[in-house]
Amino acid sequence: MDAYLGLAGHFEELAALDHIHGVLDWDRRVVMPAGAAEERARAQAAVARWRRARLADPRVAAWLAAVEPASLEPDQAANLREMKRLHRRAAAVSEEQTGALADAAARSESAWEACRPAGDWAAFRPYLEEVVARVQEQAAALAEAEESTPYGALLAGFQPGLTAERAEALLREVDSFLPDLVARARTAGGGEEAPAAGGPFPQAAQERLARKAAELLGYDFQHGRLDTAAHPFTGGAPGDVRITTRYEERDFAPGLLAAVHEAGHALYEQHLPAAWRRQPAGRARGMAVHEGQSLFMEKQVGLHPGFLGLVAGWLDEAFPGAEERPAWAGPALYRRLTRVEPGLIRVDADEGTYPLHIRLRHELEQALIGRELAVSDLPEAWEAGMQERLGVRPQGDHRNGVMQDPHWAAGLFGYFPCYTLGALIAAQLMEALRTDLPGLDEQLAEGEPGPLRNWLEQRVWLRGSLPEFEGLLREATGKPLGVEAFRTHLEGRYLREAL
Amino acid sequence: MDAYLGLAGHFEELAALDHIHGVLDWDRRVVMPAGAAEERARAQAAVARWRRARLADPRVAAWLAAVEPASLEPDQAANLREMKRLHRRAAAVSEEQTGALADAAARSESAWEACRPAGDWAAFRPYLEEVVARVQEQAAALAEAEESTPYGALLAGFQPGLTAERAEALLREVDSFLPDLVARARTAGGGEEAPAAGGPFPQAAQERLARKAAELLGYDFQHGRLDTAAHPFTGGAPGDVRITTRYEERDFAPGLLAAVHEAGHALYEQHLPAAWRRQPAGRARGMAVHEGQSLFMEKQVGLHPGFLGLVAGWLDEAFPGAEERPAWAGPALYRRLTRVEPGLIRVDADEGTYPLHIRLRHELEQALIGRELAVSDLPEAWEAGMQERLGVRPQGDHRNGVMQDPHWAAGLFGYFPCYTLGALIAAQLMEALRTDLPGLDEQLAEGEPGPLRNWLEQRVWLRGSLPEFEGLLREATGKPLGVEAFRTHLEGRYLREAL
């Protein structure tokens, strides 16, 4: 058999395992009864082991050695590059390590869900300790294969092609201007208070609003669903990309913006190249690029003044009773959603303070993986870091402190930098897009995101993993990934005197 | 390695595949978006192929040959017997056959869901033809391994230990008295009309009622869920047993009774022997026994006059406005739910006419598998059979005719006899139980099904697949499976003059 065809057939079967993983994971987070955690952890560990076994299969090594690169089309060569990467990483860890981490992560994420409402750190800690120990093991094994640090090897798992050094350099550049920009933004516009949301907002009406926004942006409900989850995420499988959000009765904005954020992830997944659907080259180009798509929809589109004007009309319809409510009359909605105000919760943070949250997690997770910080000392380090970077402390309220995110519980160490890099990517995409689409502001105000969507589809979504990370960005925006577009975006949006 | 331990470890991994199958199937029927059918069919076909590969693995044959029966405990010997059965059947069919059937069945069931509302037989037919062809292939291969007819081999897949001849003999015995009993029952009680249900009944209130009933019977929501589905079923996985029902606005009874029926299935699954959870001996003892548990809860408990008295009180609370509504005042509810009245729909049928529906399907599916009837001739054969057995015809209304059930679409040929055998089992269990629990009627009227549940748990549920089919029945009821208890039950319930 031709070696490339052997590989392609072998990897096609992997798509079924990824499909299964996606459905089991969505199910666990959205609908699974609490008592099922134990059996589900076993099943998910088995899927992880089977996935690793297929990738690490000695036949893959033999095919990879036998393939004639000169005989391949460029797209096939890119697919081969991705196969090699997946094989190398899978072969670096043992079946036992893979199963143990998947099992620990599934248990720990369920424990997080159960313990978070009461902020019960003592009950959650042993689960997290187990996950950290298993991740440390894997990171050490991956570091050898990737010729990087253990933390760098984890990071490259989420964003292939990104080194820890490159991530650090970009985040440090953000550090160089952000604290000052945040301080200035807090007093911009005369420090005027925006009107409160003015709830209660019934959940059913909020859900209709979230569906309307997702649909307008182009999310396809024939191949997806919108549900609620403790922590919003996008999941499912190709052809079945599911988004989630969560609603707060006192405010319509978090549920709506989370839906818009997740729709951004989902649009990427729904528009990956169909011809490559069951091959490695057909996947999204890493999680920094992914967060770039979600943050594009949430921050660049969702907070666009024109788009918010449209939303204000929807709000009038969705929550009748008081026409032109102060919370969304005139520029009030834009003003409220673009206020810079340090707070405890990352997912509620504005665009200015958000990277400060990420830096803290980045610092802490590097220390955890580097064995410089013990899980038992994490809450204290969290409090100190929040105080230093954001000037606020959870003061022992772990629910809104160290237990606010599910990432570490789920074993996702090395993921957090993707958020800030995603914000850089989103801003840089918008900058390039504005040049190509001069009518953009009007289109968004009129609820016509089609041209914008087509631009992203051609430049990013349909490219899948055919280009490498930084190459994709250069192709799409005409320049290497940098912080300038983000800085310009923040200055334009936050350092205005008034709208 | 000790051969038995090798087998036990190998089969434990099978539990993860069964878990995955259960979750994918539940998801497909309850929450999956329509556009995902194609990818899901591929994933489910892969799971079916992997499951067959694990069962048919040559190592299993080697272990089975090497095991020393004398060294096993009795329960281990029973487990070995089940392993042998599973291996024999899996080895009889090829990987391609397994994948092709799973794929065809998943597509066809999705097509059934899409085509059924409009009764679009023309659109559905090609899917069913594909499924029938794939089932015919498998049945032929299984018949050799099982030393039976092709249809008998399918039947034994659903109820191990049951032959087609034994099933035919029991169903024929039912035929010998049922038509006459139905005719007499239709004029019993002076043929008096029962009051109509008197809706509309809002779905949310019906759902609370269904949850209340399931909970009272002992269904554990910590390890399960209640949802709606086009065709009610019980699914999920061990530790995560999920029930479904469907609600009709004009009548509260179908939704409630379907929930009670599925709770009967689920109680069985939730009380299988925990020590054997991931081994073949820990599974339910076949689908006739399973339907025995669901029909026990639906017909013996759910339609028990005392239990219905309790339900009438719930109905007053659930649907306030008219106290003591005629539909459930005094004996009206019992009278309405135990009226014998031939109709088009199997799942709405009373206990008397239900086995007539089953006989028709039994006859038709034997003809389809025996290649004596083509799928294209099925609607005509259906009309004629309904006329002959029940005196009613769908007259081209396929939605309420040949397309009313999902079983054939899903490739489940040989399943239908399990329903009538289940009715026999339920009646025979109730007869035995009455001897042991003289206070049963009072307990049900007081909403205390605990002693009854404990009896079933000890006699049936906790036995798993440790005994064989007919042995389980003999142990539980003190006699071989027969039709007499069912006949006595029907006569007692339906040939009364008035309540």
Side-chain angles (χ1 to χ4, degrees), chain A residues 215-274:
Chain A
E215 209 148 24
L216 176 83
L217 295 175
Y219 176 77
D220 174 6
F221 279 95
Q222 270 292 303
H223 294 87
R225 298 177 51 88
L226 169 67
D227 296 275
T228 60
H231 195 93
F233 72 101
T234 296
D240 188 4
V241 180
R242 304 179 182 183
I243 58 176
T244 57
T245 186
R246 63 177 172 206
Y247 305 101
E248 291 176 22
E249 206 180 38
R250 60 173 178 81
D251 191 356
F252 57 85
L256 176 62
L257 288 173
V260 168
H261 178 98
E262 301 305 333
H265 281 302
L267 282 163
Y268 190 8
E269 290 288 324
Q270 290 189 330
H271 293 86
L272 286 167

Side-chain angles (χ1 to χ4, degrees), chain B residues 63-150:
Chain B
W63 279 318
L64 286 172
V67 76
E68 297 278 0
S71 70
L72 301 181
E73 303 290 322
D75 284 0
Q76 292 176 325
N79 196 32
L80 186 74
R81 183 195 67 221
E82 297 303 312
M83 289 171 172
K84 273 185 189 161
R85 191 190 329 258
L86 289 167
H87 171 69
R88 186 177 68 234
R89 291 179 67 92
V93 293
S94 71
E95 181 178 333
E96 290 67 32
Q97 286 175 330
T98 305
L101 174 54
D103 185 76
R107 283 171 208 269
S108 155
E109 204 183 337
S110 293
W112 174 81
E113 265 174 37
C115 298
R116 195 199 166 214
D120 189 349
W121 168 254
F124 171 58
R125 201 187 72 187
Y127 291 94
L128 185 59
E129 282 174 335
E130 175 69 18
V131 166
V132 168
R134 298 288 81 80
V135 172
Q136 284 170 340
E137 252 172 52
Q138 279 215 5
L142 286 167
E144 272 195 54
E146 296 276 56
E147 297 178 13
S148 75
T149 61

Side-chain angles (χ1 to χ4, degrees), chain A residues 194-422:
Chain A
F201 300 99
Q203 176 162 335
Q206 286 199 54
E207 194 183 321
R208 281 193 295 274
L209 202 62
R211 290 182 69 90
K212 190 169 183 166
E215 209 148 24
L216 176 83
L217 295 175
Y219 176 77
D220 174 6
F221 279 95
Q222 270 292 303
H223 294 87
R225 298 177 51 88
L226 169 67
D227 296 275
T228 60
H231 195 93
F233 72 101
T234 296
D240 188 4
V241 180
R242 304 179 182 183
I243 58 176
T244 57
T245 186
R246 63 177 172 206
Y247 305 101
E248 291 176 22
E249 206 180 38
R250 60 173 178 81
D251 191 356
F252 57 85
L256 176 62
L257 288 173
V260 168
H261 178 98
E262 301 305 333
H265 281 302
L267 282 163
Y268 190 8
E269 290 288 324
Q270 290 189 330
H271 293 86
L272 286 167
W276 292 96
R277 172 171 272 187
R278 292 175 208 100
Q279 293 293 324
R283 297 182 185 186
R285 182 63 294 172
M287 295 314 299
V289 181
H290 233 307
E291 294 298 338
Q293 309 315 298
S294 55
L295 290 169
F296 185 94
M297 289 302 163
E298 182 189 351
K299 307 298 191 191
Q300 302 291 336
V301 173
L303 299 187
H304 183 279
F307 186 80
L308 285 179
L310 194 74
V311 168
W314 297 354
L315 291 167
D316 282 337
E317 279 172 44
F319 308 113
E323 290 304 297
E324 299 265 330
R325 286 219 230 178
W328 58 80
L333 184 57
Y334 179 76
R335 208 162 63 223
R336 188 161 71 81
L337 296 181
T338 58
R339 261 193 74 74
V340 173
E341 185 69 54
L344 290 174
I345 302 293
R346 175 182 63 86
V347 294
D348 294 342
D350 55 79
E351 288 177 281
T353 58
Y354 194 103
L356 304 175
H357 289 266
I358 295 302
R359 257 318 223 180
L360 172 63
R361 285 159 181 68
H362 185 222
E363 178 185 287
L364 294 175
E365 69 181 12
Q366 287 188 84
L368 284 167
I369 299 307
R371 300 175 196 262
E372 292 144 23
L373 177 68
V375 170
S376 55
D377 295 330
L378 188 55
E380 205 182 318
W382 184 283
E383 299 258 350
M386 284 297 284
Q387 181 69 56
E388 185 196 329
R389 293 190 181 274
L390 285 133
V392 295
R393 318 178 67 107
Q395 309 214 342
D397 171 10
H398 300 307
R399 182 180 189 285
N400 294 310
V402 67
M403 289 176 73
Q404 69 181 265
D405 288 321
H407 300 57
W408 291 340
L412 307 180
F413 291 86
Y415 188 102
F416 279 114
C418 295
Y419 289 110
T420 296
L421 296 181

Side-chain angles (χ1 to χ4, degrees), chain A residues 12-13 16-17 19-20 23-24 26-27 30-36 38-40 42-43 46-47 49-50 54 221-225 238-240 242 277-278, chain B residues 12-13 16-17 19-20 23-24 26-27 30-36 38-40 42-43 46-47 49-50 54 221-225 238-240 242 277-278:
Chain A
E12 170 139 354
E13 195 91 342
L17 281 171
H19 181 112
I20 291 163
V23 175
L24 290 185
W26 178 90
D27 184 276
V30 178
V31 294
M32 188 184 83
E38 166 80 21
E39 287 298 313
R40 179 58 54 87
R42 281 175 178 271
V47 173
R49 275 186 281 109
W50 299 334
R54 176 158 289 272
F221 279 95
Q222 270 292 303
H223 294 87
R225 298 177 51 88
D240 188 4
R242 304 179 182 183
R277 172 171 272 187
R278 292 175 208 100
Chain B
E12 171 140 352
E13 194 91 340
L17 281 170
H19 181 111
I20 290 164
V23 175
L24 290 185
W26 178 89
D27 184 275
V30 178
V31 294
M32 189 184 82
E38 165 81 22
E39 287 298 312
R40 179 58 54 85
R42 281 174 178 271
V47 173
R49 276 187 280 107
W50 299 335
R54 176 158 289 271
F221 279 93
Q222 270 291 303
H223 294 86
R225 296 176 52 89
D240 188 4
R242 304 178 182 185
R277 172 170 273 188
R278 294 176 207 101

Side-chain angles (χ1 to χ4, degrees), chain B residues 449-488:
Chain B
L452 168 154
R453 198 170 57 230
N454 291 343
W455 190 96
L456 284 173
E457 185 178 6
Q458 296 303 321
R459 303 292 183 102
V460 180
W461 304 340
L462 280 176
R463 305 291 292 130
S465 280
L466 294 166
E468 283 265 35
F469 170 52
E470 300 243 19
L472 175 74
L473 265 292
R474 251 195 312 272
E475 278 179 35
T477 68
K479 52 184 175 185
L481 179 59
V483 306
E484 278 317 309
F486 182 56
R487 179 181 188 153
T488 307

